[in-house]
């Protein structure tokens, strides 16, 4: 098993060699920026709900929370339960904060704003696009048939 695991990593590293190093650094920068944005959003939302933790502790605990959420496999609906459980474990069970309300509220609001709402908007856009495409593909009646239908 160990050799198989190492082989997978080696294969992934060989794939990375296909890309320009500047592009990889750019993608890493975007990923780091997104991670910091999500983490900062979480901390700010928890402050709105009454958290009084210092920014540094909140930021690094939230960063650990997002990392754990990423590592734990879950499907979309169960994701909200996993997020709440991990947030509760890291912030409340460890004694960093006593009241779970700001932490859970922050977790669910960030989940809604960054995952659920964009997913719903995307699904709606896709539905409208497909409906428009299906209307374009409907065969039109020849002019003679249209005149016959109108005369009836």
């Amino acid at each position: 098993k160990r050799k198989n695991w190492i082989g997978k990593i080696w294969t992934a590293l060989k794939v990375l060699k296909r890309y320009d190093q500047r592009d990889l650094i750019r993608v890493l920068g975007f990923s780091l920026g997104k991670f910091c944005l999500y983490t900062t959003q979480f901390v700010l939302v928890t402050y709105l709900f009454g958290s009084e933790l210092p920014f540094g502790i909140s930021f690094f605990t939230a960063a650990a929370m997002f990392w754990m959420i990423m590592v734990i496999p879950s499907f979309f609906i169960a994701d909200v339960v996993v997020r709440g459980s991990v947030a509760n474990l890291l912030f409340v069970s460890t004694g960093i904060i006593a009241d779970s309300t700001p932490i859970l509220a922050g977790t669910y609001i960030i989940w809604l704003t960054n995952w659920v709402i964009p997913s719903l908007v995307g699904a709606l856009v896709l539905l409208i696009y497909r409906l428009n495409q299906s209307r374009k593909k409907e065969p039109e009646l020849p002019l003679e048939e249209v005149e016959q239908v109108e005369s009836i």
Side-chain angles (χ1 to χ4, degrees), residues 23-99:
D23 291 337
L24 292 173
I25 291 171
R26 188 176 300 128
V27 168
L28 182 63
F30 283 133
S31 298
L32 183 61
K34 180 181 171 184
F35 183 77
C36 288
L37 177 71
Y38 280 15
T39 306
T40 303
Q41 280 179 334
F42 175 80
V43 171
L44 293 177
V45 170
T46 60
Y47 285 162
L48 288 174
F49 282 93
S51 172
E52 296 177 0
L53 288 175
F55 183 83
I57 292 172
S58 292
F59 187 87
F60 288 111
T61 307
M65 177 188 75
F66 285 127
W67 180 81
M68 286 178 71
I69 290 168
M70 180 189 67
V71 172
I72 298 171
S74 67
F75 56 94
F76 190 69
I77 301 300
D79 192 42
V80 71
V81 175
V82 170
R83 287 174 179 271
S85 299
V86 170
N88 196 41
L89 173 75
L90 286 176
F91 283 94
V92 180
S93 296
T94 58
I96 292 175
I97 191 169
D99 184 17

Side-chain angles (χ1 to χ4, degrees), residues 125-144:
V125 168
L126 186 60
L127 177 66
I128 291 169
Y129 174 78
R130 287 187 176 170
L131 287 174
N132 286 336
Q133 291 299 318
S134 67
R135 286 184 190 147
K136 290 178 184 178
K137 292 180 182 177
E138 289 181 10
E140 294 186 21
L141 293 173
L143 188 56
E144 299 86 30

